[in-house]
Amino acid sequence: MQSPDMHPKVEPVSMSLFFKYKGRVKKSTFTGSTLEDLTKAFLERFPEFPPFSSRPFTVMHPEAKVGHEVDDMSDLYPNCVLEMSQDGESQTQQSISKRSVSGLAERERMVLCMVGLPARGKTFIASKICHLLNWMGIPAKVFNVGEYRRARVGPNKPHQFFDPNNAEGQRVLLHCSLAALDDMMMWLGQGGGHVAIFDAANIRTDRRKLVATRCQREGINKIIYVESVCDDPLVIEANIRETKLWSPDYETVTDPAEAVADLNLRISHYLQDYETITDNEKNSYIKIFDGGRRMELRAIQGYLPGRLVFFLMNLHITPRTIWLARAGECEYQTQNRIGGDTDLTGHGEEFAHRLAQWVDENIPRRDDGSESELVVWTSTLRRAVRTGQYLPHPKVQLRGLDDLERGICDGLTADEVAAEFPDEFAARCSDKLGYRYPRGESYEDITQRLEPVILELERSRRPVLIISHQAPLRCLYAYLMGVDQTQCPHIPIPMHTI
């Protein structure tokens, strides 16, 4: 008597899919019913792979866009990308770990400790540094002690709370600083952080020593103090009215004059204990005077600190307007083709007229009511230049704003790329951030060539309208809004929108 089959037969699947290993992607027409069949098909495409060291495949979920191990044939779907990991880590994870610009020079953990009186632009500077580092692929995070204080005792504390003679207030502020330090050390130690920014007043020598001692105890020896010094009353007043009045500390105060008076009294309390950084502390520091008019440095060494100094040299705290707009619709876009340098269509020409009208109606104005001196930056491509043609303002063409270079795929539709270069199509689908077109560019390349544009943008004090293309505008938006670099290729930048 024949025993029943305890393992029912699985019907074979047949589909086109892609195998990925060490950054290379190859197409395969797969037919099989087991994971062994899948491994055999992989080895046919990658014969150099050691046959006895196979590891689980990873596949991207088609809807959730999250990678998971392949357990059976039901995990496959047409044109999926199957990745063979290396040493227990997926190639995607490895590529992300290598993307950071700091990998070119150093991986040592670092703490930037902000120093300065209220209304000196410390939080603004800290957030700008954080945006830049994350945009470069360096994990950075700001730990703002003011947020810890508001979470613990609530906002709207009067100036007396900050009086150095108020023992209870000083005890609360110290505990909030210690809580922020604890979280910062946890993030640097277990959260994969690289650069932590400790955003607090830190105006006393003993408070700065507390931060340094805690960092050294945790094995973090690279500490740089960033002090913002400002004695210009006009700059201080402008900063108070532009930022501090919108702070959660004054959200229930309806009279701006009352809020300004309270903040000035708070500053006077801080002044009683203020000790500026000196060489006697033997610390590395960067001092920024009057919002960037002058800088003073001590013991700044290394690739990343040098980059930060160059960035801060171009930074200022004067608010101004930045508008981003995609070039109007061009001929290639009506044919679903990528790249090229074609002219505007009728819809694109109409957007150019409407853009000029909108800017004329919304151009920022100075306190005296006169128009600000707007400057227009465009890429060098025809459709971007033509989009700005009706704007009666100074224009600058920058190659750094040019569209993503598609190389051998320039001028093709997505279907044509998939048919003529299936491996390239799959490689880009699996890693849109790091994928580089043959003889073309990747989003990471755009990030690097936009750095001079970013520095010029931070240096400029005039309102700026940038007319560019989807990929570079995604990168610029990610920097300005503090969006993680990995999300950059997916930021929506709609057509004919400002």
Side-chain angles (χ1 to χ4, degrees):
M1 183 175 178
Q2 188 175 10
S3 62
D5 188 358
M6 300 302 293
H7 301 282
K9 184 178 180 181
V10 178
E11 291 296 325
V13 299
S14 181
M15 67 179 70
S16 293
L17 47 77
F18 299 88
F19 291 113
K20 181 177 181 181
Y21 176 62
K22 289 188 175 181
R24 293 180 296 158
V25 180
K26 295 184 179 182
K27 185 176 182 179
S28 175
T29 301
F30 171 71
T31 300
S33 56
T34 66
L35 294 179
E36 288 76 13
D37 295 337
L38 198 61
T39 300
K40 184 183 296 184
F42 168 79
L43 292 173
E44 290 175 357
R45 300 299 285 143
F46 288 96
E48 70 276 16
F49 185 84
F52 300 107
S53 61
S54 61
R55 304 178 183 91
F57 288 103
T58 300
V59 64
M60 188 71 69
H61 191 281
E63 296 179 359
K65 301 300 183 185
V66 176
H68 61 89
E69 288 188 4
V70 176
D71 295 321
D72 53 48
M73 294 296 101
S74 64
D75 290 329
L76 306 183
Y77 56 92
N79 295 319
C80 63
V81 179
L82 299 172
E83 182 178 5
M84 179 64 79
S85 63
Q86 303 177 59
D87 300 325
E89 180 184 31
S90 73
Q91 179 68 20
T92 301
Q93 292 173 318
Q94 292 180 3
S95 64
I96 290 175
S97 68
K98 293 174 183 176
R99 269 179 194 149
S100 170
V101 176
S102 64
L104 299 174
E106 58 201 89
R107 292 300 299 172
E108 184 181 7
R109 294 173 298 169
M110 180 167 63
V111 169
L112 301 177
C113 183
M114 305 303 298
V115 178
L117 296 168
R120 266 56 177 182
K122 298 188 305 299
T123 297
F124 173 80
I125 294 170
S127 67
K128 282 292 187 179
I129 293 174
C130 187
H131 287 186
L132 177 72
L133 294 176
N134 283 313
W135 184 72
M136 292 164 58
I138 302 171
K141 186 175 180 179
V142 175
F143 293 83
N144 182 280
V145 175
E147 294 180 358
Y148 284 78
R149 185 248 307 162
R150 285 186 284 269
R152 177 166 180 170
V153 298
N156 310 318
K157 288 296 179 183
H159 68 87
Q160 292 89 345
F161 178 82
F162 302 92
D163 190 328
N165 298 314
N166 180 348
E168 177 61 18
Q170 293 299 302
R171 183 185 67 82
V172 170
L173 292 175
L174 176 60
H175 284 186
C176 292
S177 293
L178 293 175
L181 277 173
D182 288 341
D183 288 349
M184 184 174 77
M185 294 302 128
M186 179 72 70
W187 181 76
L188 285 170
Q190 302 178 16
H194 182 51
V195 179
I197 306 169
F198 189 65
D199 184 15
N202 298 309
I203 54 174
R204 300 203 313 259
T205 303
D206 65 325
R207 192 60 64 86
R208 295 193 288 270
K209 187 175 181 180
L210 173 69
V211 176
T213 301
R214 180 64 191 279
C215 290
Q216 290 165 1
R217 193 173 74 199
E218 300 290 340
I220 301 169
N221 298 313
K222 202 170 192 64
I223 309 168
I224 299 177
Y225 296 90
V226 181
E227 182 176 7
S228 181
V229 181
C230 186
D231 299 319
D232 188 330
L234 295 179
V235 175
I236 297 172
E237 182 182 0
N239 193 33
I240 289 174
R241 295 191 178 277
E242 290 289 344
T243 59
K244 288 297 182 181
L245 293 187
W246 301 100
S247 165
D249 286 342
Y250 296 102
E251 61 184 5
T252 62
V253 180
T254 57
D255 183 5
E258 179 185 347
V260 170
D262 182 86
L263 182 56
N264 281 323
L265 287 171
R266 184 193 299 188
I267 293 172
S268 69
H269 294 316
Y270 277 89
L271 274 169
Q272 297 179 47
D273 283 345
Y274 185 28
E275 299 171 312
T276 188
I277 297 177
T278 65
D279 290 352
N280 293 333
E281 295 183 40
K282 295 181 170 50
N283 294 316
S284 299
Y285 67 74
I286 303 170
K287 277 191 180 183
I288 307 168
F289 294 88
D290 294 330
R293 293 177 184 170
R294 182 168 67 89
M295 289 182 66
E296 183 178 308
L297 314 176
R298 183 186 185 278
I300 300 299
Q301 298 175 337
Y303 171 78
L304 190 54
R307 291 280 294 274
L308 291 177
V309 167
F310 189 57
F311 173 71
L312 292 172
M313 288 174 62
N314 290 275
L315 193 64
H316 63 82
I317 60 176
T318 305
R320 81 281 194 207
T321 299
I322 299 173
W323 288 324
L324 306 179
R326 281 180 68 176
E329 182 187 71
C330 68
E331 295 164 358
Y332 261 17
Q333 287 167 332
T334 62
Q335 304 167 22
N336 294 321
R337 299 187 180 279
I338 58 177
D341 190 16
T342 55
D343 211 340
L344 296 179
T345 63
H347 290 302
E349 190 74 19
E350 179 184 358
F351 174 67
H353 283 283
R354 292 173 59 191
L355 176 64
Q357 180 182 354
W358 187 91
V359 169
D360 182 62
E361 295 171 353
N362 293 274
I363 190 169
R365 298 188 176 273
R366 302 187 182 94
D367 293 338
D368 60 5
S370 62
E371 290 186 354
S372 300
E373 297 179 357
L374 177 75
V375 61
V376 181
W377 295 358
T378 75
S379 78
T380 64
L381 299 181
R382 192 183 316 172
R383 57 187 182 275
V385 175
R386 294 272 292 169
T387 300
Q389 64 183 314
Y390 303 113
L391 291 159
H393 302 282
K395 301 180 185 67
V396 180
Q397 295 182 22
L398 300 173
R399 291 193 178 277
L401 294 173
D402 283 357
D403 200 5
L404 179 70
E405 176 57 55
R406 269 77 175 195
I408 63 173
C409 298
D410 190 76
L412 301 180
T413 65
D415 290 341
E416 289 171 343
V417 174
E420 296 182 29
F421 306 102
D423 291 351
E424 299 299 332
F425 183 80
R428 187 168 192 272
C429 290
S430 67
D431 182 14
K432 197 172 181 181
L433 176 65
Y435 170 77
R436 178 181 291 113
Y437 284 97
R439 298 201 292 273
E441 290 181 305
S442 68
Y443 270 87
E444 292 176 337
D445 296 327
I446 290 181
T447 297
Q448 292 186 24
R449 68 167 154 93
L450 277 175
E451 277 198 53
V453 178
I454 291 290
L455 292 174
E456 182 61 24
L457 189 63
E458 292 295 359
R459 190 187 68 81
S460 175
R461 297 171 186 263
R462 301 167 62 177
V464 179
L465 167 61
I466 299 176
I467 303 174
S468 184
H469 313 277
Q470 183 169 249
L473 288 181
R474 280 172 165 168
C475 296
L476 284 173
Y477 185 88
Y479 164 73
L480 293 169
M481 303 306 294
V483 178
D484 187 81
Q485 187 193 46
T486 58
Q487 301 302 314
C488 180
H490 311 289
I491 297 173
I493 305 289
M495 289 283 294
H496 300 169
T497 306
I498 298 175

